[in-house]
Amino acid sequence: MPRQLPPRIGLFVNRARELTELTHAMESSRLISLSGLGGVGKTQLVPQWIAGLDGDPFPDGHLYADLTDGRRDGSVDVAAVLRDFLVALGEDNDRLPATLNGLSRAFRSVTAGLRLLVVVDNVQHAPEVRPLVPGGGHLLVLSRRRLPSLEIDGATCVTVDPLDEQAGVELIRHWRHTATREAATRLSRLCGGSPLALRAAGRQLLERSHVPLEDVVRELGGDSDWLRGGEDEESAWGVFDRVLAGFPDHTRALYLLLGSLPGTTFTAAVARATGAERFDEALGDLLATHLAVAHRPTAGREPDRFRLHDVVRAHARAHAESAVPEERRASALRQLVEHYVEFTSHADRLVLGGRRRLQPAPSGDTPFADAAEALAWLDAERANLLEVLRAAAAHDWHDPVWQLCESLWALYHSRQYYTDWIESHRLGVTAAQWAPVPRPDVEIRLRNQLARAHMGLDEDGEARAELDRAEELFGLVAEGWLHGVIWETQGLLSMKQGDAEAAVDLFTRALRANEGDRHGIAVQSYNLAQALVAAGRPRRAVDLLDSVLAGIPEDDAMRMRIGIVLGRAHQALGAYDRALELAIDAAVRAHGRKQYAKLNQALLLTAELADQVHDSPLRQACLDKLAELGSVAGGAAPDEPKP
């Protein structure tokens, strides 16, 4: 059961009106819009509201997404948000639809009848959240501005105002019991009702308990009217300036470094790779003043991840541009890019194993324990990776751009983040063309990966165009296996379009192109066998896969995939006992690896075979497992086996 809301803070004041309005809104509408200035406390209001409700009105969980993480040039990959939500609800990523509409329908189906709260933060436009309305429960939208379109859709709107003067005084006198009301009132006015600014100022009070509050207020700006103006960033910056001035040198340096780098989150590894000194102490200062926050709870061995509040990040970037020499900012960015190239390459090798690569192997030991941890890191770094790619491309650092793209196949092939996939690979193709030494081999590989993204979106025409462009480069490369990757994708496209004979020819050519590469031979034999079965030549498929299967290690995932196709071939030949043996073995292997899409295929095949040998108990057992699998991993009922 997901409980994804940010944690509550200890002290919370002056939100009785908003809390009451939220409760009334929940009772009258399934769609609620909560708006207010950045840093006014919208996000923190939600867990406080939930904690104060009678009973548990959302027993099926809380989902939370901050659209800042996935915003690209003003737009959001809503499909990625839906995919994350569905996975959090127990769905298997491999079984999810590829398109936004398909994912939205699946989300409504999975959440139908649930008492669930979906919270979407930092929304800018109503269309960003309409696909996120659940089938059951409530959608709570947090935005810096009112969204009239949502009101037309029936949303109940709640406005979060800045804290009033009395609430600010209450907070300040909690931190400094001896404060006079006059001095506390002056400081409250100085912070303009911004909880973020108040908490930053509060750190000054706690750290300098020996200094009279009047002196602290005087240093932070006294009765100046810098708060006036419409932009909340400007209203808080005066306090941030003064808090920053009070930091030790190493904390100011980290703050400016973070302002110099692309991305929305950071880890200790990122900071140290880019030259941060005394990181733990500096991070402690930023966390204690609430300029930085923990981004999400750590799961397993995933590294702790942090972020600057969005208003703070804008402040840090503005200061970095004026205070950090351009050469130092460029040097830090280059170090960051190299860090991501190395880590992403390590992750790719763990997730995808022995596939051929065009970039050199990364140096040193892998930072990840296993493939699951490597994939989790890629997923957590997704927004940062695209920002780093853009920055590297803007600096014409072509080799790191294409190297990152080649390695990101491990993420995109597994998670289907199509918007990121297409944008990054267009940058990668350009980098291959404009590298100091042009790389037609790289361009072939990246156009192939780009074609797979278009296929996933059912944009077969665009996929074919990318493959044609890649094929035009064949005369410029000596590596025959690169021809093979294009023929493989052309074969998959032919299979998708129902032309099995064309696929047989293309997979045969791809198999020959992989001569000498055990992994490549296994993959292309698997593809060719599927095409042979579809073309009505199961005996040829059996002969091919029997020889390949004998040379594959027992723990190789290809044994599971080959077992399903080999079972289909034996089924077509009427060898039901052998087909059952293979199908059941594939199901066991898929279950052990939590590969639910393959488990579904293996169970369907086993149920069909059980029907053909008149084994009713086995068939029913498979149908029961398929129904369970549908509820756990797919949401919808599984396909019925063929009679």
Side-chain angles (χ1 to χ4, degrees):
M1 183 186 302
R3 297 288 185 185
Q4 298 181 343
L5 293 181
R8 297 166 61 200
I9 60 173
L11 186 65
F12 192 79
V13 298
N14 187 234
R15 291 303 187 198
R17 176 188 63 79
E18 291 90 342
L19 293 171
T20 299
E21 290 186 10
L22 275 174
T23 300
H24 289 162
M26 178 189 70
E27 295 168 351
S28 62
S29 176
R30 291 184 55 238
L31 180 58
I32 305 169
S33 175
L34 189 67
S35 61
L37 294 174
V40 80
K42 299 184 298 296
T43 303
Q44 183 53 219
L45 181 65
V46 179
Q48 297 289 346
W49 169 57
I50 296 298
L53 293 173
D54 293 332
D56 185 2
F58 306 111
D60 295 310
H62 312 145
L63 296 173
Y64 176 82
D66 185 345
L67 298 193
T68 299
D69 296 338
R71 197 171 295 285
R72 312 281 186 267
D73 295 331
S75 62
V76 172
D77 187 354
V78 180
V81 176
L82 281 166
R83 190 174 294 277
D84 288 345
F85 281 173
L86 286 162
V87 170
L89 291 169
E91 305 305 304
D92 175 37
N93 184 74
D94 293 338
R95 291 168 53 85
L96 296 178
T99 65
L100 174 60
N101 287 337
L103 286 164
S104 186
R105 288 193 297 269
F107 183 59
R108 292 193 297 274
S109 298
V110 170
T111 57
L114 296 184
R115 295 168 63 192
L116 178 77
L117 177 65
V118 180
V119 180
V120 187
D121 208 343
N122 283 306
V123 175
Q124 293 185 1
H125 311 288
E128 295 174 346
V129 294
R130 287 194 178 107
L132 304 176
V133 177
H138 291 71
L139 174 64
L140 178 56
V141 176
L142 278 57
S143 176
R144 291 189 176 190
R145 66 189 73 180
R146 290 192 66 175
L147 301 172
S149 294
L150 285 185
E151 295 182 54
I152 294 173
D153 292 346
T156 299
C157 298
V158 177
T159 301
V160 183
D161 294 321
L163 291 173
D164 62 26
E165 186 176 289
Q166 178 56 38
V169 170
E170 183 181 341
L171 280 173
I172 293 162
R173 297 186 79 177
H174 173 81
W175 296 320
R176 180 71 69 84
H177 299 295
T178 60
T180 66
R181 174 165 291 279
E182 179 183 3
T185 300
R186 291 175 63 197
L187 182 54
S188 178
R189 290 173 180 169
L190 178 69
C191 294
S194 165
L196 198 64
L198 276 164
R199 289 162 68 183
R203 173 60 187 266
Q204 297 284 325
L205 302 180
L206 294 172
E207 284 196 338
R208 306 173 64 190
S209 58
H210 60 287
V211 179
L213 178 59
E214 289 78 1
D215 293 345
V216 176
V217 173
R218 191 177 303 111
E219 292 177 15
L220 288 177
D223 287 326
S224 66
D225 59 357
W226 55 267
L227 286 164
R228 296 177 183 173
E231 295 296 326
D232 53 297
E233 288 87 355
E234 294 300 326
S235 69
W237 279 19
V239 169
F240 299 157
D241 285 345
R242 291 156 181 80
V243 172
L244 182 61
F247 281 146
D249 290 344
H250 57 274
T251 304
R252 282 199 301 274
L254 175 62
Y255 187 78
L256 294 174
L257 174 64
L258 295 174
S260 302
L261 300 177
T264 58
T265 65
F266 63 94
T267 62
V270 163
R272 290 175 177 135
T274 50
E277 298 180 355
R278 301 171 65 179
F279 171 75
D280 291 334
E281 298 173 49
L283 175 65
D285 289 337
L286 295 179
L287 292 173
T289 53
H290 305 286
L291 298 182
V293 295
H295 182 55
R296 63 181 62 169
T298 301
R301 291 186 67 245
E302 184 185 345
D304 290 328
R305 192 171 299 279
F306 308 94
R307 66 179 298 163
L308 299 179
H309 186 282
D310 50 358
V311 178
V312 176
R313 186 166 63 247
H315 177 266
R317 288 179 176 169
H319 275 256
E321 288 178 2
S322 61
V324 180
E326 183 177 351
E327 297 79 8
R328 168 60 182 136
R329 283 185 278 128
S331 173
L333 176 61
R334 185 70 194 213
Q335 290 171 311
L336 180 73
V337 171
E338 291 171 356
H339 166 81
Y340 275 111
V341 168
E342 179 182 348
F343 270 53
T344 307
S345 182
H346 277 299
D348 169 38
R349 280 165 166 76
L350 273 176
V351 174
L352 295 182
R355 74 167 184 145
R356 283 170 161 161
R357 294 166 178 84
L358 295 171
Q359 62 184 290
S363 60
D365 297 330
T366 179
F368 309 109
D370 52 32
E373 184 179 301
L375 185 56
W377 179 86
L378 287 168
D379 222 352
E381 290 283 0
R382 177 170 66 95
N384 294 333
L385 284 163
L386 188 57
E387 291 289 342
V388 167
L389 263 170
R390 289 170 171 166
H395 281 75
D396 294 331
W397 297 338
H398 301 302
D399 285 342
V401 170
W402 73 254
Q403 289 168 1
L404 279 169
C405 284
E406 184 183 38
S407 297
L408 281 172
W409 175 250
L411 173 64
Y412 296 148
H413 182 62
S414 301
R415 293 288 187 261
Q416 289 88 51
Y417 296 130
Y418 292 115
T419 301
D420 291 9
W421 187 346
I422 290 172
E423 180 184 349
S424 64
H425 278 62
R426 285 175 177 161
L427 293 174
V429 167
T430 300
Q433 294 169 333
W434 290 93
V437 176
R439 296 295 301 266
D441 54 343
V442 171
E443 185 177 349
I444 289 172
R445 159 149 278 186
L446 296 189
R447 286 196 183 279
N448 180 70
Q449 294 179 185
L450 185 54
R452 293 290 190 94
H454 286 299
M455 284 179 62
L457 292 171
D458 291 329
E459 297 170 351
D460 293 353
E462 290 86 343
R464 182 75 68 185
E466 294 296 337
L467 295 172
D468 289 346
R469 294 187 188 103
E471 202 166 20
E472 292 171 1
L473 301 172
F474 278 4
L476 302 178
V477 299
E479 299 90 341
W481 65 270
L482 282 171
H483 301 193
V485 301
I486 300 301
W487 293 330
E488 175 190 7
T489 302
Q490 289 173 335
L492 293 172
L493 194 54
S494 295
M495 285 284 287
K496 182 182 178 185
Q497 296 172 345
D499 192 345
E501 288 296 345
V504 167
D505 177 63
L506 288 161
F507 289 139
T508 299
R509 294 160 69 185
L511 178 60
R512 291 170 182 160
N514 279 273
E515 185 175 348
D517 175 24
R518 187 180 68 182
H519 179 75
I521 288 174
V523 171
Q524 300 310 328
S525 297
Y526 163 80
N527 287 328
L528 176 55
Q530 289 189 88
L532 288 168
V533 172
R537 287 183 265 170
R539 171 53 59 191
R540 175 74 183 95
V542 168
D543 293 342
L544 173 66
L545 290 184
D546 277 344
S547 62
V548 171
L549 201 60
I552 296 178
E554 186 64 28
D555 61 348
D556 195 313
M558 284 303 300
R559 295 188 72 90
M560 167 188 66
R561 300 170 68 189
I562 287 175
I564 295 171
V565 177
L566 194 52
R568 286 285 181 196
H570 279 290
Q571 179 189 32
L573 292 170
Y576 300 135
D577 289 344
R578 176 58 177 156
L580 268 172
E581 179 184 350
L582 289 160
I584 292 171
D585 178 73
V588 171
R589 292 176 184 275
H591 182 270
R593 291 177 173 269
K594 297 185 178 180
Q595 293 283 335
Y596 296 120
K598 293 301 177 186
L599 177 56
N600 185 75
Q601 293 176 20
L603 288 171
L604 281 170
L605 175 57
T606 305
E608 292 172 17
L609 291 164
D611 186 61
Q612 289 171 316
V613 299
H614 309 294
D615 188 338
S616 298
L618 176 59
R619 184 178 190 276
Q620 188 58 50
C622 288
L623 294 178
D624 291 344
K625 280 292 182 183
L626 283 163
E628 178 186 341
L629 181 63
S631 65
V632 171
D639 297 333
E640 281 291 321
K642 292 183 291 186

